[in-house]
Amino acid sequence: MPAADRSGGAGLYLHIPFCSAICPYCDFSVLTGGAEARERFVHDLLREIELWSPEREGPRRDGPGRGEGWSGAAFDTVYLGGGTPSALAPEQLGRILAAVAQHLPVVAEPWIQLEANPEDVEPSTLQAWRRLGIDTVSLGVQSFDPHALAFLGRRHDGETARRSVSLAQDAGFHTVSLDLIFGWPEQTPERWEADLEQALALAPQHLSCYQLTLHEGTPFGFRQRRGELREMPEDQQAVLFIQAHERLAAGGLVGYEVSNFARSPEHQSRHNRKYWHHVPYLGLGPSAHSFDGRRRWWNVRKVGPWQRQLQAGQRPVDEVEQLGPQELALEAVFLGLRTARGLDLDWVEELSGLDLEPANAVLFEAWEERGQVRRPARWRGRRLVPTLEGWAVADALAAAVETDP
């Protein structure tokens, strides 16, 4: 992996938990709430931002939750995710971004991405977001199919989705991105093709396609437990997965990660690439995760406990995990096999100190024989680049890798 992909700034993620309604498949930390609850949340998020100021010094042995401020590289990407960040008023978003600039090390013009629901998109809000410096707006379309939208509990219809994309394109954002979900019951290749065609007709610069997963503790998870709902069989999911990559590539959106497609490299997600390339990032807000290169930590999940800890002057860190060589290597395998760059064995060795080739030579050869990966000669065979067939089972491939030296 070129050094340029691992250098540069860190990433800042801000979790905004509010939604007008909670979708039955959602496993994130989300809640509904009125104006008072949202303003109280903003106040507490500003407090958490301030608690991470580099000016706050403390003994490093106390861990990331109990003393030192952010000591890593300056942030060059800011991602407002959720939940639905567009549920906050532009003025509230502006206060959050102003606090980030005041208290945290941020480059002069960070790349800012905002998630939004189609029903929140109006010309006035789009212009307000542009004035805040937002470069990428990511719209949670999920589908244009009325049956799918009803099943997924979405509050917009296909026409509202199309309108939101067109308005966002007209507003002048550098990148307009759409999210789609596939793998819902009764979805056929023909219905998936219709969704893909409608998305391509809107000419977004970026598209994400996520496979529907039934999580425990969600309404869909409860229905699955009662036998009322099942995930689509893996072979059918694979058909839809490969269909998406082939159709979108033909339409000018090339897959650069298992679920993500861009019209050109400049439209790839600058923030999410940090996750895939093991670049440090800080996550603020309930349930947000952070990584400094060797440690990973995450905030308490529920908003109430998160707020109470902040109001007591404490960072709401739930747990801290120290990553050893095997953990770093395993993460690099899972992440590498999800990207178009593939699994770079030299990079894994540089990152973790472990050379995975000797213990996994037979496994890697089997992947090649099955047509799941290829070894480009220009990297001396030390990089395993997944094919579409390999991408379709990337997690299963990664799980089979031996990382014990």
PDB file of all heavy atoms in Angstrom, residues 232-245:
ATOM      1  N   MET A 232     -31.895 -13.375   3.355  1.00  0.00           N
ATOM      2  CA  MET A 232     -31.809 -13.981   2.038  1.00  0.00           C
ATOM      3  C   MET A 232     -30.654 -14.994   2.022  1.00  0.00           C
ATOM      4  O   MET A 232     -29.592 -14.726   2.563  1.00  0.00           O
ATOM      5  CB  MET A 232     -31.573 -12.896   0.984  1.00  0.00           C
ATOM      6  CG  MET A 232     -31.446 -13.412  -0.436  1.00  0.00           C
ATOM      7  SD  MET A 232     -31.225 -12.071  -1.636  1.00  0.00           S
ATOM      8  CE  MET A 232     -32.905 -11.399  -1.699  1.00  0.00           C
ATOM      9  N   PRO A 233     -30.843 -16.166   1.425  1.00  0.00           N
ATOM     10  CA  PRO A 233     -29.759 -17.161   1.343  1.00  0.00           C
ATOM     11  C   PRO A 233     -28.496 -16.567   0.730  1.00  0.00           C
ATOM     12  O   PRO A 233     -28.566 -15.685  -0.137  1.00  0.00           O
ATOM     13  CB  PRO A 233     -30.362 -18.255   0.464  1.00  0.00           C
ATOM     14  CG  PRO A 233     -31.839 -18.127   0.655  1.00  0.00           C
ATOM     15  CD  PRO A 233     -32.092 -16.656   0.816  1.00  0.00           C
ATOM     16  N   GLU A 234     -27.351 -17.067   1.172  1.00  0.00           N
ATOM     17  CA  GLU A 234     -26.075 -16.494   0.758  1.00  0.00           C
ATOM     18  C   GLU A 234     -25.865 -16.543  -0.751  1.00  0.00           C
ATOM     19  O   GLU A 234     -25.290 -15.608  -1.333  1.00  0.00           O
ATOM     20  CB  GLU A 234     -24.930 -17.222   1.470  1.00  0.00           C
ATOM     21  CG  GLU A 234     -24.851 -16.922   2.962  1.00  0.00           C
ATOM     22  CD  GLU A 234     -23.628 -17.541   3.599  1.00  0.00           C
ATOM     23  OE1 GLU A 234     -22.805 -18.125   2.858  1.00  0.00           O
ATOM     24  OE2 GLU A 234     -23.490 -17.440   4.831  1.00  0.00           O
ATOM     25  N   ASP A 235     -26.305 -17.619  -1.414  1.00  0.00           N
ATOM     26  CA  ASP A 235     -26.086 -17.709  -2.856  1.00  0.00           C
ATOM     27  C   ASP A 235     -26.884 -16.648  -3.600  1.00  0.00           C
ATOM     28  O   ASP A 235     -26.409 -16.076  -4.595  1.00  0.00           O
ATOM     29  CB  ASP A 235     -26.420 -19.105  -3.375  1.00  0.00           C
ATOM     30  CG  ASP A 235     -27.856 -19.529  -3.082  1.00  0.00           C
ATOM     31  OD1 ASP A 235     -28.490 -18.947  -2.180  1.00  0.00           O
ATOM     32  OD2 ASP A 235     -28.351 -20.457  -3.754  1.00  0.00           O
ATOM     33  N   GLN A 236     -28.091 -16.341  -3.106  1.00  0.00           N
ATOM     34  CA  GLN A 236     -28.877 -15.280  -3.736  1.00  0.00           C
ATOM     35  C   GLN A 236     -28.281 -13.902  -3.449  1.00  0.00           C
ATOM     36  O   GLN A 236     -28.286 -13.016  -4.310  1.00  0.00           O
ATOM     37  CB  GLN A 236     -30.320 -15.341  -3.236  1.00  0.00           C
ATOM     38  CG  GLN A 236     -31.063 -16.606  -3.646  1.00  0.00           C
ATOM     39  CD  GLN A 236     -32.489 -16.624  -3.123  1.00  0.00           C
ATOM     40  OE1 GLN A 236     -33.150 -15.594  -3.020  1.00  0.00           O
ATOM     41  NE2 GLN A 236     -32.977 -17.815  -2.776  1.00  0.00           N
ATOM     42  N   GLN A 237     -27.765 -13.714  -2.233  1.00  0.00           N
ATOM     43  CA  GLN A 237     -27.087 -12.456  -1.914  1.00  0.00           C
ATOM     44  C   GLN A 237     -25.892 -12.248  -2.832  1.00  0.00           C
ATOM     45  O   GLN A 237     -25.646 -11.132  -3.305  1.00  0.00           O
ATOM     46  CB  GLN A 237     -26.630 -12.459  -0.457  1.00  0.00           C
ATOM     47  CG  GLN A 237     -27.744 -12.447   0.560  1.00  0.00           C
ATOM     48  CD  GLN A 237     -27.212 -12.558   1.982  1.00  0.00           C
ATOM     49  OE1 GLN A 237     -26.013 -12.589   2.216  1.00  0.00           O
ATOM     50  NE2 GLN A 237     -28.121 -12.621   2.949  1.00  0.00           N
ATOM     51  N   ALA A 238     -25.141 -13.308  -3.085  1.00  0.00           N
ATOM     52  CA  ALA A 238     -23.962 -13.205  -3.941  1.00  0.00           C
ATOM     53  C   ALA A 238     -24.344 -12.789  -5.356  1.00  0.00           C
ATOM     54  O   ALA A 238     -23.637 -12.000  -5.997  1.00  0.00           O
ATOM     55  CB  ALA A 238     -23.207 -14.536  -3.963  1.00  0.00           C
ATOM     56  N   VAL A 239     -25.468 -13.307  -5.846  1.00  0.00           N
ATOM     57  CA  VAL A 239     -25.935 -12.921  -7.184  1.00  0.00           C
ATOM     58  C   VAL A 239     -26.202 -11.423  -7.248  1.00  0.00           C
ATOM     59  O   VAL A 239     -25.784 -10.725  -8.194  1.00  0.00           O
ATOM     60  CB  VAL A 239     -27.199 -13.721  -7.562  1.00  0.00           C
ATOM     61  CG1 VAL A 239     -27.864 -13.133  -8.800  1.00  0.00           C
ATOM     62  CG2 VAL A 239     -26.851 -15.188  -7.792  1.00  0.00           C
ATOM     63  N   LEU A 240     -26.887 -10.895  -6.235  1.00  0.00           N
ATOM     64  CA  LEU A 240     -27.207  -9.469  -6.215  1.00  0.00           C
ATOM     65  C   LEU A 240     -25.941  -8.630  -6.024  1.00  0.00           C
ATOM     66  O   LEU A 240     -25.821  -7.542  -6.598  1.00  0.00           O
ATOM     67  CB  LEU A 240     -28.210  -9.173  -5.105  1.00  0.00           C
ATOM     68  CG  LEU A 240     -29.569  -9.878  -5.201  1.00  0.00           C
ATOM     69  CD1 LEU A 240     -30.471  -9.438  -4.054  1.00  0.00           C
ATOM     70  CD2 LEU A 240     -30.249  -9.599  -6.536  1.00  0.00           C
ATOM     71  N   PHE A 241     -25.010  -9.133  -5.211  1.00  0.00           N
ATOM     72  CA  PHE A 241     -23.753  -8.424  -4.976  1.00  0.00           C
ATOM     73  C   PHE A 241     -22.969  -8.266  -6.277  1.00  0.00           C
ATOM     74  O   PHE A 241     -22.523  -7.164  -6.632  1.00  0.00           O
ATOM     75  CB  PHE A 241     -22.931  -9.193  -3.941  1.00  0.00           C
ATOM     76  CG  PHE A 241     -21.539  -8.663  -3.743  1.00  0.00           C
ATOM     77  CD1 PHE A 241     -21.304  -7.625  -2.868  1.00  0.00           C
ATOM     78  CD2 PHE A 241     -20.472  -9.208  -4.443  1.00  0.00           C
ATOM     79  CE1 PHE A 241     -20.023  -7.118  -2.681  1.00  0.00           C
ATOM     80  CE2 PHE A 241     -19.189  -8.721  -4.262  1.00  0.00           C
ATOM     81  CZ  PHE A 241     -18.958  -7.676  -3.389  1.00  0.00           C
ATOM     82  N   ILE A 242     -22.794  -9.367  -6.989  1.00  0.00           N
ATOM     83  CA  ILE A 242     -22.032  -9.323  -8.252  1.00  0.00           C
ATOM     84  C   ILE A 242     -22.776  -8.498  -9.289  1.00  0.00           C
ATOM     85  O   ILE A 242     -22.174  -7.728 -10.055  1.00  0.00           O
ATOM     86  CB  ILE A 242     -21.750 -10.750  -8.748  1.00  0.00           C
ATOM     87  CG1 ILE A 242     -20.783 -11.441  -7.770  1.00  0.00           C
ATOM     88  CG2 ILE A 242     -21.196 -10.746 -10.159  1.00  0.00           C
ATOM     89  CD1 ILE A 242     -20.544 -12.913  -8.052  1.00  0.00           C
ATOM     90  N   GLN A 243     -24.091  -8.599  -9.300  1.00  0.00           N
ATOM     91  CA  GLN A 243     -24.902  -7.797 -10.219  1.00  0.00           C
ATOM     92  C   GLN A 243     -24.659  -6.315  -9.999  1.00  0.00           C
ATOM     93  O   GLN A 243     -24.504  -5.542 -10.957  1.00  0.00           O
ATOM     94  CB  GLN A 243     -26.385  -8.131 -10.017  1.00  0.00           C
ATOM     95  CG  GLN A 243     -27.335  -7.306 -10.889  1.00  0.00           C
ATOM     96  CD  GLN A 243     -28.795  -7.614 -10.555  1.00  0.00           C
ATOM     97  OE1 GLN A 243     -29.097  -8.469  -9.707  1.00  0.00           O
ATOM     98  NE2 GLN A 243     -29.709  -6.932 -11.220  1.00  0.00           N
ATOM     99  N   ALA A 244     -24.612  -5.890  -8.744  1.00  0.00           N
ATOM    100  CA  ALA A 244     -24.387  -4.475  -8.439  1.00  0.00           C
ATOM    101  C   ALA A 244     -23.036  -4.018  -8.952  1.00  0.00           C
ATOM    102  O   ALA A 244     -22.922  -2.959  -9.600  1.00  0.00           O
ATOM    103  CB  ALA A 244     -24.497  -4.236  -6.935  1.00  0.00           C
ATOM    104  N   HIS A 245     -21.993  -4.792  -8.685  1.00  0.00           N
ATOM    105  CA  HIS A 245     -20.653  -4.382  -9.111  1.00  0.00           C
ATOM    106  C   HIS A 245     -20.550  -4.320 -10.631  1.00  0.00           C
ATOM    107  O   HIS A 245     -19.958  -3.383 -11.189  1.00  0.00           O
ATOM    108  CB  HIS A 245     -19.611  -5.335  -8.537  1.00  0.00           C
ATOM    109  CG  HIS A 245     -19.197  -4.984  -7.143  1.00  0.00           C
ATOM    110  ND1 HIS A 245     -18.095  -4.205  -6.868  1.00  0.00           N
ATOM    111  CD2 HIS A 245     -19.756  -5.276  -5.938  1.00  0.00           C
ATOM    112  CE1 HIS A 245     -17.986  -4.038  -5.565  1.00  0.00           C
ATOM    113  NE2 HIS A 245     -18.970  -4.677  -4.970  1.00  0.00           N
TER     114      HIS A 245
END
